[in-house]
Amino acid sequence: MSGLHRAAWPALGAAILFGASTPFAKQLIGAGFATASPFLLAGLLYLGSGLGLTLVRLVRDKGWQSPGMPRQEWPWLLGAIAFGGVLGPLLLMVGLAHTTAATASLFLNLESVLTAVLAWMVFRENTDRRIVLGMALIVAGGAVLAWPTGETSVTGIGPLALAGACLAWAIDNNLTRKVSASDALFIAGSKGLVAGSVNTALGLALGAAWPTASLLSSAMLIGFFGYGLSLVLFVLALRGLGTARTGAYFSTAPFVGAAISIAVFGEPTSSIFWAATALMVLGVWLHLTEHHSHEHEHVELNHEHGHRHDEHHQHEHEFKWDGQEPHTHPHQHVKLTHRHMHFPDVHHRHAH
C-alpha cells in the first residue's frame, strides 16, 4: 500500500482545523473579553461547536434521531466530555494567556505523546520503535520550548497549563476511541453542548462580562470549525488508525497554528523556537511514514458502524440493500487470517 492510509486524511483535516484555531483564539484573548475568564472563552468555543454540529445533524437526519449508541459506551463518552470538553479547553485558555500563540501551538504536540503513552500502557494498543522514536523527538521539542530563558512568554504557569491540557485531551482521545464506531456528529456535538454549557455557566458565575455580538460570533465560529468539525474528523480517523497513530497524524496541528501565528499575526520567533520546530518536524515525519504489516487473525465479531464492502466486510444483508456505500447496519465478521498493511482500527485490535 503506497501513500497515506485512507484514514490519515480526516486525521490531517482535523489537525489543520484545530491548529488554525489556536492563534485565532489567542486573538480573542487579546481582545480582552476572556483574559480574566478562560472559562467563558472555552465555553463559547465549545458552544459554537455543539450548536453548529447539532444543526448539521438535524439537517442530515431531517429531524431528531436516536444516536443508537450501545448502553455500555455512554460512560466512555461522558468521561471524554469531562476531560476533553471541560478541563482541557480551560487549561488551554490559561496557557494561551501566559504564552505566545506560536509557542503554545508547538507545545500542544505533547498531546500526541501523552495520547500514545496512555494507549500503549493503559489501553494496550500496539506500537513499534519508529513511533516511540518519533514521540521521543516530540517530547524533546516540548522540553526545549519549556526550558527557562527568563522570557515571561514561555515560563511560569503557561507551559504547566498547556501540559495539563494535553494530558486531559490525551485521556479524552483514548476514551473517545471506545465510542468511535458510533455517530461522529453525535459524539462531537454532545461534547460541545455539555462542555460549552458548563464552562460558559462557570465563567458567568465567576463574574465574566458577556462579550459583544461580534466577539461572541467570532468565538462560536472558531469553535465550530476548530473544535466541532475537527473533532468529527478526529473520531472518523480513530476508527481507521487507532488512538496513538491518530494522535501522531494530529500532531501536525501545532505547525499549522505556528505558521499562522508567524505569517498572519507577525509573532516573533527565536532560535529556541526553531530548534524545537526541527525536533518536532522530524518526530512527526517518522509517524507519517510508518508502515505496519504482518499476518494476523480476526476473531468473530458482531457490531454496527459505517462501512464499505471491503475485504473485512463480506456479508449478506437481511434487508433490501440499494447498493449505496458507505452504509450502516448491524453485521457479523467471521474468523479470518490474512496479511496486509493495517493500523489498530476497530477491526485490528489484536495482540502482537
Side-chain angles (χ1 to χ4, degrees):
M1 179 177 179
S2 60
L4 293 179
H5 189 283
R6 183 172 64 185
W9 294 112
L12 292 172
I16 291 171
L17 288 172
F18 181 73
S21 72
T22 300
F24 285 101
K26 174 71 174 180
Q27 298 304 307
L28 293 181
I29 290 178
F33 85 98
T35 303
S37 180
F39 284 105
L40 182 59
L41 180 52
L44 292 178
L45 288 169
Y46 264 100
L47 271 182
S49 162
L51 292 174
L53 293 179
T54 299
L55 178 60
V56 170
R57 185 167 178 263
L58 288 173
V59 172
R60 182 199 65 181
D61 297 340
K62 299 179 181 179
W64 174 257
Q65 300 289 335
S66 171
M69 181 177 290
R71 180 177 301 177
Q72 66 271 19
E73 292 187 0
W74 282 97
W76 300 117
L77 177 60
L78 294 175
I81 291 173
F83 281 99
V86 178
L87 185 58
L90 168 62
L91 292 172
L92 174 62
M93 295 307 112
V94 173
L96 285 177
H98 293 84
T99 60
T100 65
T103 297
S105 292
L106 283 186
F107 202 87
L108 290 176
N109 254 319
L110 293 179
E111 177 189 344
S112 65
V113 178
L114 296 173
T115 294
V117 169
L118 290 177
W120 299 332
M121 299 184 68
V122 178
F123 295 92
R124 302 301 180 186
E125 190 173 295
N126 72 283
T127 184
D128 57 35
R129 287 176 293 180
R130 186 184 187 90
I131 292 295
V132 172
L133 177 58
M135 291 299 181
L137 290 169
I138 293 173
V139 168
V144 168
L145 282 179
W147 193 264
T149 62
E151 299 178 26
T152 57
S153 61
V154 294
T155 58
I157 194 175
L160 291 177
L162 292 173
C166 290
L167 178 59
W169 279 322
I171 296 173
D172 167 25
N173 294 338
N174 279 278
L175 296 181
T176 300
R177 184 203 184 197
K178 296 287 189 178
V179 299
S180 61
S182 297
D183 185 357
L185 275 177
F186 174 75
I187 293 170
S190 298
K191 180 181 293 185
L193 288 175
V194 175
S197 298
V198 170
N199 277 315
T200 299
L202 283 173
L204 295 175
L206 293 173
W210 196 253
T212 63
S214 61
L215 289 175
L216 175 63
S217 59
S218 296
M220 297 186 77
L221 185 64
I222 293 171
F224 174 68
F225 286 100
Y227 288 66
L229 292 182
S230 176
L231 181 56
V232 170
L233 294 173
F234 190 89
V235 172
L236 295 176
L238 284 173
R239 295 178 187 172
L241 295 175
T243 311
R245 287 164 178 82
T246 298
Y249 283 89
F250 191 74
S251 62
T252 57
F255 302 112
V256 176
I260 292 175
S261 299
I262 296 166
V264 177
F265 299 113
E267 289 196 352
T269 59
S270 65
S271 57
I272 289 179
F273 175 86
W274 290 113
T277 298
L279 289 169
M280 290 182 170
V281 165
L282 181 56
V284 171
W285 176 80
L286 288 172
H287 294 159
L288 295 178
T289 54
E290 182 219 3
H291 289 76
H292 180 78
S293 178
H294 62 88
E295 186 174 272
H296 56 277
E297 181 181 77
H298 295 271
V299 299
E300 291 187 2
L301 174 67
N302 288 280
H303 63 174
E304 179 178 357
H305 64 91
H307 63 276
R308 300 176 183 275
H309 282 199
D310 54 20
E311 60 184 326
H312 296 103
H313 295 91
Q314 298 297 323
H315 51 253
E316 299 296 328
H317 294 85
E318 298 179 355
F319 56 90
K320 187 176 181 180
W321 178 41
D322 59 10
Q324 291 189 355
E325 293 183 327
H327 62 295
T328 302
H329 62 89
H331 57 277
Q332 181 181 39
H333 294 270
V334 298
K335 188 175 182 179
L336 172 67
T337 300
H338 60 176
R339 179 189 182 97
H340 62 91
M341 179 181 170
H342 63 278
F343 293 104
D345 55 26
V346 293
H347 300 108
H348 295 91
R349 296 178 180 175
H350 49 257
H352 289 71

